[in-house]
Amino acid sequence: MASPAPLPPAEADPGARLVLAEHLLACESAVACARAVVEWLARRHGVPAACVGPGDGAGASACLASEGLTGAQQAALARAWDAQGSPLAGFRNRPGARGLAADAVEGAVMPGGFFAVPLGRAGAPAAALLVVGLPGPAVPEDVAWVASCAGPLLARQLASDARAPRRPEPDRLLRRVINAVSDPVLLTDTDGTLLFANARAEALLVAGPDASPGRTRAVELNQRLFRETLAQGGTSVHRREVSLVDPLEGMDLLFELATTPVLAPDGPSVVVSVLRNLTDLGRATQALGESYRQLRATEREARSERHRLDRVLDSVADPIILTDPAGGMVMMNDPAERLFAWPHEEGAGGEATLRRVRANDALFASFLTNLLGPVNAGVSRWKSQLTLDDPATGAPVPMEAMANKVLGDGGELTGIVTVFHDRTEVLERARLLERVKEVSSELEARVQSATAELAEQNELLRRQAIQLEQASAAKSQFLANMSHEFRTPLNAILGYTNMLLQGVSGEMTPPQRRNLTRIDSNGRHLLEVINEILDITRIEAGRMPLHLSDFGIPELIQEVMAEMDPIIARSKLTVETRLDEGLPGVWSDRQKVKQIVLNLLSNALKFTHEGGVHIAAEYQNATGTVAISVKDTGIGIDVSNQEKIFEDFQQVDSSPTRAYGGTGLGLSICRRLAEMLGGRVSLQSAPGQGSTFTLHFPRRARRT
Ligand code: ADP
């Protein structure tokens, strides 16, 4: 697009002239050239100015450009330039500027007078006349300069305009009108060369020589975009959008470009382009789109919130119903649907189901009526117990219903939320609790009676124990008495037998002696039994006190050995003793220790056929006890009998045909005596491998 930059202010003289000169050189038409000159002078001096020249085709002259003059004044000037003999016509063939009176031209009065300056090449008739509303008489220097500078150029342009087809130039009024249009309006030829741009369009598409680099770049970009968009539309009437840049602020601007080709009958076509700023519209559309998107997002959010609420409600095991202020159901969760809604599934339910659903609905409605009634206007919550029917099975469902009024911002009722709570479990629990209470009181009664019975039994047992104790004491007393009664005659028998055997009554025949010996032996055995029974009864009756004294173990064992010597001799067994060297003296019941050891040694000799018996005594410092053991190589005792033999009258072989004599009381007496000493008797034995009986007792006995 070839278009001179708009004229700069005409104050700075040399610079302003240079700019005007460059501008004039860039002008492609006489009109543009004339306009540049007129504007420059008018602006510089603040006075009206005009340039009159060849008119548009018909032969009459016209105002090529004017500033500060009405259309009538312009026409008057053109007429005066053409009219023979008029003051202006005289300038056609006479060079040089001259001042004229204010009313020199009829119809174009300029207060204070004006200058007329013929424009053209030197030596040739003036091609145009420059009129400047400055008072005379001296021609201002810049007017003369402008005339000399612009004259030849204008003449050349006019000549070339005359050869080239004339491009139309909107007149000043039209230009003003178009300038007043708030939208950018452009006039271009068909190849896009800008012929005219209103102020708005110039702000976008024209940059002067002194424009900032930023503005120049923006304008160049806009020109390119505009040209490209224009080229898309061809020469037809067209509307499309074009994005341009605001050269001032650098913002993107969106325009609708409406192009209309205008076919001039006598010249080339021109294109009128009107740009309509859509930026605000675009922004509004964008904002509208944004709010629409937000609306959609809100709607989506609300929908998903509703789904979430539905899911939450459905996940609640308790039935929940939302009703409107009139009591109409708005929403219910799955558990509520099972009670209050007709089953949707094909073939589900029947007449009975429907009846139960209706009955439930009726119950619910009457429940709500209570809350909605005028009596409860100020009540926000309502609780009641209803027994609904399970529509599927008909089973009664005890429910607690809790309704809450939902109030709006203004306190008005917007809905009612009712939550049901199944009371079946609560009732069942209460029933079970009742039952447990019953059972527990039954149990308590039974325990009481059992306790009473037990107490009775205890009393009975206590009496029996007393009776037993008394009986036992009586028995012991009886046995003691009896033993004593037996012992006295028996001792007498043994005494007399002994005397007879010693020949006090004369010699006896061998058979007599043999029989008497048997009487003596049996009598002794009987005495032994009686003595043992007497011992047990005395121990049990607590009539065998401890006689504690200091004594030495070696002496005691020696005594035992001495007493047993005849039997040892008869047995042909070896009997050895091994006593610890440092055996301390003991404080205990010597007689009882001796009786135990005697008994153990007597048993060892009785149940051992070959080998020997070994008696050992040691002191166990750690426990403070003395251990006297009697070890034999006899028949031994099976483990199963090792407990039993310590009980009264118990023997390993208790058959009538047993091989060994004895009463089975010896070991039980030993056990009792050892316990009296604060000790015990232990046994290690195995059949065929001998036995070791050991008496353990404290070195220092404690009187109990
Ligand atoms: P008695 O010897 O009078 O039968 P005891 O009470 O002294 O009564 O012994 C009970 C039983 O223990 C004996 O009959 C015997 O069977 C068994 N017994 C005791 N000492 C020994 C032993 N040293 N070897 C094997 N058996 C024994």
Side-chain angles (χ1 to χ4, degrees), residues 525 528 532 599-608 630-637 641 644-654 658 660-670 683 685 690-693:
H525 178 65
E528 199 183 317
E532 284 179 344
N599 204 311
L600 297 180
L601 180 57
S602 141
N603 277 351
L605 293 169
K606 185 160 70 174
F607 296 104
T608 306
V630 180
K631 181 178 179 183
D632 62 49
T633 54
I635 59 171
I637 307 154
N641 290 317
K644 179 180 115 175
I645 55 172
F646 285 97
E647 288 168 17
D648 294 345
F649 302 106
Q650 292 297 332
Q651 296 172 311
V652 172
D653 180 7
S654 53
R658 63 183 189 272
Y660 305 98
T663 57
L665 283 171
L667 283 179
S668 68
I669 290 171
C670 286
L683 166 63
S685 182
S691 311
T692 304
F693 285 86

Side-chain angles (χ1 to χ4, degrees), residues 447-525:
V447 167
Q448 266 174 6
S449 96
T451 311
E453 211 170 296
L454 206 64
E456 210 172 289
Q457 295 287 339
N458 273 347
E459 180 57 24
L460 208 64
L461 279 175
R462 197 180 64 79
R463 284 190 199 152
Q464 281 174 352
I466 292 168
Q467 281 171 3
L468 275 175
E469 218 171 277
Q470 287 169 350
S472 167
K475 176 205 82 180
S476 297
Q477 190 58 47
F478 169 77
L479 285 176
N481 291 345
M482 288 304 291
S483 301
H484 183 72
E485 290 304 318
F486 281 134
R487 228 158 45 143
T488 310
L490 197 54
N491 275 328
I493 290 166
L494 287 175
Y496 283 114
T497 314
N498 202 19
M499 278 164 53
L500 288 173
L501 283 172
Q502 284 177 9
V504 175
S505 306
E507 270 312 299
M508 284 183 286
T509 62
Q512 282 174 331
R513 178 171 282 277
R514 202 168 46 249
N515 289 337
L516 205 57
T517 304
R518 279 189 190 139
I519 291 168
D520 182 60
S521 151
N522 281 301
R524 282 185 195 286
H525 178 65

Side-chain angles (χ1 to χ4, degrees), residues 328-484:
M329 289 196 193
V330 175
M331 199 170 87
M332 59 173 85
N333 66 353
D334 282 353
E337 273 191 16
R338 282 195 281 279
L339 288 167
F340 296 99
W342 176 248
H344 303 301
E345 300 92 48
E346 191 73 19
E351 199 47 44
T353 309
L354 183 60
R355 208 174 44 246
R356 290 173 198 137
V357 168
R358 279 190 187 141
N360 288 348
D361 281 342
L363 272 174
F364 177 58
S366 95
F367 163 75
L368 275 189
T369 311
N370 283 320
L371 182 61
L372 293 172
V375 185
N376 287 321
V379 178
S380 63
R381 243 171 214 214
W382 182 258
K383 191 156 88 169
S384 180
Q385 292 179 0
L386 319 173
T387 302
L388 303 174
D389 284 339
D390 183 340
T393 62
V397 189
M399 286 283 190
E400 183 181 75
M402 166 86 85
N404 275 281
K405 283 182 182 170
V406 182
L407 301 180
D409 292 343
E412 76 286 4
L413 180 64
T414 56
I416 298 153
V417 178
T418 308
V419 181
F420 292 86
H421 183 60
D422 191 338
R423 296 182 63 244
T424 311
E425 216 169 287
V426 175
L427 292 178
E428 181 62 11
R429 267 209 300 273
R431 197 186 63 74
L432 283 177
L433 190 68
E434 207 47 49
R435 180 77 194 115
V436 166
K437 274 188 197 159
E438 270 173 31
V439 170
S440 118
S441 56
E442 263 174 40
L443 209 63
E444 203 174 319
R446 277 194 206 168
V447 167
Q448 266 174 6
S449 96
T451 311
E453 211 170 296
L454 206 64
E456 210 172 289
Q457 295 287 339
N458 273 347
E459 180 57 24
L460 208 64
L461 279 175
R462 197 180 64 79
R463 284 190 199 152
Q464 281 174 352
I466 292 168
Q467 281 171 3
L468 275 175
E469 218 171 277
Q470 287 169 350
S472 167
K475 176 205 82 180
S476 297
Q477 190 58 47
F478 169 77
L479 285 176
N481 291 345
M482 288 304 291
S483 301
H484 183 72

Side-chain angles (χ1 to χ4, degrees), residues 194-278:
L194 181 66
L195 302 175
F196 170 76
N198 73 350
R200 297 270 175 175
E202 279 184 351
L204 286 170
L205 296 160
V206 178
D210 58 343
S212 70
R215 179 176 164 80
T216 308
R217 267 199 306 280
V219 165
E220 280 167 9
L221 177 65
N222 284 348
Q223 288 174 355
R224 188 163 55 75
L225 291 168
F226 176 74
R227 255 199 316 274
E228 282 170 10
T229 314
L230 200 65
Q232 288 166 14
T235 53
S236 57
V237 175
H238 210 82
R239 273 174 195 275
R240 57 266 191 206
E241 284 184 359
V242 56
S243 290
L244 301 179
V245 178
D246 182 343
L248 273 181
E249 294 176 12
M251 279 176 0
D252 286 342
L253 300 171
L254 180 69
F255 290 94
E256 184 191 56
L257 173 60
T259 53
T260 313
V262 180
L263 290 171
D266 56 341
S269 301
V270 291
V271 180
V272 177
S273 302
V274 179
L275 290 162
R276 198 153 60 86
N277 194 342
L278 300 181

Side-chain angles (χ1 to χ4, degrees), residues 50-380:
C51 182
V52 183
D56 193 4
S61 293
C63 233
L64 298 178
S66 81
E67 199 66 51
L69 294 174
T70 64
Q73 285 176 318
Q74 291 175 32
L77 284 175
R79 274 196 309 276
W81 173 245
D82 284 342
Q84 286 281 328
S86 79
L88 295 188
F91 283 88
R92 282 191 180 262
N93 296 309
R94 188 167 48 88
R98 195 157 46 95
L100 292 173
D103 54 353
V105 176
E106 195 184 340
V109 173
M110 280 189 242
F114 64 95
F115 279 100
V117 187
L119 297 173
R121 283 195 216 98
L129 183 71
L130 177 64
V131 175
V132 184
L134 278 172
V139 178
E141 195 269 332
D142 54 354
V143 175
W145 176 81
V146 167
S148 66
C149 182
L153 288 171
L154 189 65
R156 198 173 61 231
Q157 284 292 352
L158 284 170
S160 99
D161 284 359
R163 286 192 302 274
R166 201 114 196 233
R167 284 174 181 157
E169 171 81 357
D171 68 9
R172 298 265 330 152
L173 181 64
L174 192 58
R175 282 183 62 207
R176 284 193 177 174
V177 170
I178 296 174
N179 258 336
V181 176
S182 61
D183 290 332
V185 178
L186 300 105
L187 192 65
T188 54
D189 60 14
T190 46
D191 56 2
T193 304
L194 181 66
L195 302 175
F196 170 76
N198 73 350
R200 297 270 175 175
E202 279 184 351
L204 286 170
L205 296 160
V206 178
D210 58 343
S212 70
R215 179 176 164 80
T216 308
R217 267 199 306 280
V219 165
E220 280 167 9
L221 177 65
N222 284 348
Q223 288 174 355
R224 188 163 55 75
L225 291 168
F226 176 74
R227 255 199 316 274
E228 282 170 10
T229 314
L230 200 65
Q232 288 166 14
T235 53
S236 57
V237 175
H238 210 82
R239 273 174 195 275
R240 57 266 191 206
E241 284 184 359
V242 56
S243 290
L244 301 179
V245 178
D246 182 343
L248 273 181
E249 294 176 12
M251 279 176 0
D252 286 342
L253 300 171
L254 180 69
F255 290 94
E256 184 191 56
L257 173 60
T259 53
T260 313
V262 180
L263 290 171
D266 56 341
S269 301
V270 291
V271 180
V272 177
S273 302
V274 179
L275 290 162
R276 198 153 60 86
N277 194 342
L278 300 181
T279 312
D280 288 343
L281 189 66
R283 281 195 197 125
T285 312
Q286 213 173 342
L288 200 66
E290 186 54 34
S291 64
Y292 177 70
R293 267 192 299 283
Q294 273 178 8
L295 198 69
R296 290 298 304 269
T298 311
E299 188 194 330
R300 266 199 307 278
E301 216 170 278
R303 206 177 302 129
S304 90
E305 188 59 23
R306 165 76 194 237
H307 283 159
R308 202 172 66 83
L309 188 66
D310 280 353
R311 276 201 302 280
V312 169
L313 287 181
D314 286 344
S315 70
V316 177
D318 288 337
I320 299 174
I321 297 181
L322 178 63
T323 38
D324 60 24
M329 289 196 193
V330 175
M331 199 170 87
M332 59 173 85
N333 66 353
D334 282 353
E337 273 191 16
R338 282 195 281 279
L339 288 167
F340 296 99
W342 176 248
H344 303 301
E345 300 92 48
E346 191 73 19
E351 199 47 44
T353 309
L354 183 60
R355 208 174 44 246
R356 290 173 198 137
V357 168
R358 279 190 187 141
N360 288 348
D361 281 342
L363 272 174
F364 177 58
S366 95
F367 163 75
L368 275 189
T369 311
N370 283 320
L371 182 61
L372 293 172
V375 185
N376 287 321
V379 178
S380 63

